[in-house]
Amino acid sequence: MALLEQAPSPGTRAAALDRIRASLDSLSPSERRVAERVLADPAQVIALAINEFAALCDVAQPTVSRFSRSVGFPSYVALRLGVAADFAADGAAATGGSTDPFAAVAGGLRSDATASEVAKAVRHASRVEVWASPVFAAAASLLAARLARLDVPASATVVPEYCAQRAAALPTGAVVILLGGAGDEEAWLEPINLARAASARIVYVALRSASRLLKLADMFIPLPGTAAVELTGPLLAETLAELVRDISFYAGPPGPASPWRGWPHRRQLLLSTSGAPIPAILLSQPQPAKTPSLVIFYSYVGARKEELAPPQGAGDYVSPYFVSALLNAGHNVLLPDPPGHGERKWVWQDTNELFRAGLLDEGPDYLEQVTTETPELIDAALALGVVSSPAQIAVAGQSGGGMQTLLKLAADPRIGCAVAVMPICDITLLSSFADLGERRRTIAGGPSPRMGNQLAPRPLLLISGGQDIVAPASHIESFHEGVAPAYRRAGAEDNLRYLRLDDVAHRFDGRQVDAMLEWLDRHLSPTSPASKPRRRTTTKARAAR
């Protein structure tokens, strides 16, 4: 039973004393002696080394280690850290001044480190089964309903015979949550063993644990005994659902789109160009669309278009959250495969290797192709008929997709506006290209402040993270400062904005979505003035930039 693999993070609880109380009946006599000593004076666990604490309990050191594992900690050191974390978290909660006992119970459950791990397992589960004792029937039904609203396939039952039938048909990646009461041990053993045979993860939640069930569980959450079961159960259901929602990255306005389920208005396309067609996915709004608009979205270097569209793809935890937010905001979204990506290469080829060979003059210059194919891509996007003007087309992307966003906005003056989130402004920051900074194609093809005249006056939002080491804020700030003079000369200072989120690394943050949607709402509408016509950027002109 590996319940807590590492120390709780600051502000969370290990619920160490609750675990010990819930496990008393399953401990051997010598382990119970250790448990009673811990419960009598928890501060001694924090203060004493294992040999000192073993002597105090009049047991051997291996007994203390075995006791620590029995109550869900990999070692005595982890137990000490768990008790200390509980003291700190409970002390901080006490200074908050809340006198609501139910709020205290919910707060304890929410801050339980294992509850957070359970929420992660539930979020990514292929299916969740909630099996409950009759006393927890209402809580089980409530939890299953709340999870279903979060696009987690979930169901609940209190009948052990039904559980055995369901366990035999569990898919790979399933999670079983067992809400156990007193006297359930024998009834639940067969279905739990069947679930484990199907490689399901078992979460055991109980006021008082049953020894054999505890040994079969992967994770254990002890329920506090300070409130009636009729209230503790629903509090658990609501709290666990809230934790799942917190890590689900729902962002932007509410709506029918979700990062965790497919969008029904979806078409696989081959965008017509003078060369080979560009494979793409169009996620369109039901007609009539609220606001005619089209956002062309790109993600990290190597991402296939299928990984960008909801539901979440295994290789990308960011893009489906952006795309679902765009859909809920009323935008149509086009997801093309960039050069050297997805269906635009052989399945055995690696995108990084293709780009690297190109930058070494040993193959096609894929970085240049990102730019040169842009005008035909915009022509093909207009031919889809979802918008009538290129001023209603935006380009957006994150990470390597942010780099492509900058290149494409510079390549076609018809594009209405752009949002680059955590853009790679220097491709040599990526380990695959770190040694290619002096190569001709690297210098000519990557983003550069020299783009200013090609970008201005179109609206451009740049977003960075102060903790980002992949796309450092300093590089994005330098790019912003480099193109700002062109915007000033065009009298369009307000069309260039730089947003730095100081506490964010190279990962998703809901504030990125909020800023993106606000920018698009302001600059991408049928009434937005089209940019001043300019000739398209040719390969020759681009090389001279």
Side-chain angles (χ1 to χ4, degrees), residues 75 150 218 315 481:
S75 66
L150 298 174
D218 297 292
E481 293 169 1

Side-chain angles (χ1 to χ4, degrees), residues 497-509:
R497 184 189 175 201
Y498 170 60
L499 172 63
R500 172 176 169 143
L501 302 173
D502 287 330
D503 57 337
V504 175
H506 197 72
R507 64 182 303 276
F508 176 83
D509 187 279

Side-chain angles (χ1 to χ4, degrees), residues 35-65:
E36 290 170 347
R37 173 62 67 175
V38 175
L39 294 174
D41 192 353
Q44 290 180 324
V45 179
I46 302 173
L48 299 178
I50 186 170
N51 60 326
E52 297 170 323
F53 192 69
L56 183 66
C57 299
D58 195 24
V59 298
Q61 287 187 34
T63 301
V64 178
S65 297

